[in-house]
Amino acid sequence: MLYSEKVMDHFQNPRNVGKIDDADGVGEVGNAKCGDIMRMYLKIDDNGIITDVKFNTFGCGSAIATSSMATEMIKGKSVDEALTLSNKAVVEALDGLPAHKIHCSVLAEEAVKAAVKDYYDKKGIAYDEELFKGIDSCESCHD
Ligand code: FES
């Protein structure tokens, strides 16, 4: 079978789909390969812990599955930990993706990072720009 059971499960029953109206950080990124977009919303408490996370996407099934898994992996974690989440870790947690769908998993990682960056910007928290280098946020693709 092309897709693992975990991928099928997260695709058919995606966790944390939706929007957080009073989010502390919102990230929107586009996938340079296919043009699909993803939006990620984070609710972050005073200790920097992600208490809630939601996403919505125009991405494909693999993007939905990886984002769903990514939201589960960062919920309850600190912002710093969320920044270390790699698309590779998400793909591994899903028991793999076909090689030509790996690029879809990048959307989830980048959307989390873009949302954290937005949170830092809103709160006036200083950060190292290097952390967010190469993130294809939609603002930059509209330029
Ligand atoms: Fe665009 Fe998968 S084909 S995110």
Side-chain angles (χ1 to χ4, degrees):
M1 180 155 132
L2 196 54
Y3 292 102
S4 73
E5 269 176 39
K6 280 191 191 163
V7 172
M8 291 309 293
D9 175 35
H10 279 266
F11 166 57
Q12 280 163 343
N13 311 292
R15 326 305 195 251
N16 306 311
V17 173
K19 185 177 176 212
I20 300 175
D21 285 327
D22 58 344
D24 298 299
V26 181
E28 185 175 290
V29 293
N31 193 318
K33 279 220 164 153
C34 59
D36 289 333
I37 67 166
M38 161 88 58
R39 219 173 272 145
M40 187 75 66
Y41 302 85
L42 300 178
K43 196 79 198 137
I44 298 164
D45 73 10
D46 292 341
N47 299 316
I49 303 295
I50 297 167
T51 54
D52 199 11
V53 44
K54 294 252 187 303
F55 78 95
N56 50 42
T57 182
F58 289 105
C60 67
S62 298
I64 292 169
T66 45
S67 308
S68 167
M69 179 55 96
T71 58
E72 290 215 308
M73 289 169 84
I74 63 168
K75 203 168 181 173
K77 299 273 167 61
S78 70
V79 169
D80 290 342
E81 281 173 290
L83 281 180
T84 66
L85 181 77
S86 68
N87 73 307
K88 203 168 157 257
V90 177
V91 170
E92 273 167 18
L94 286 168
D95 295 335
L97 271 180
H100 70 286
K101 301 303 286 181
I102 295 290
H103 75 93
C104 312
S105 66
V106 176
L107 265 185
E109 178 192 323
E110 292 198 340
V112 169
K113 291 194 168 135
V116 170
K117 184 173 185 292
D118 182 51
Y119 162 73
Y120 283 162
D121 287 339
K122 279 189 180 136
K123 287 261 174 198
I125 299 171
Y127 55 83
D128 181 359
E129 291 280 345
E130 282 293 306
L131 278 176
F132 303 103
K133 226 172 106 193
I135 291 184
D136 187 20
S137 85
C138 283
E139 273 118 44
S140 59
C141 41
H142 294 152
D143 280 345

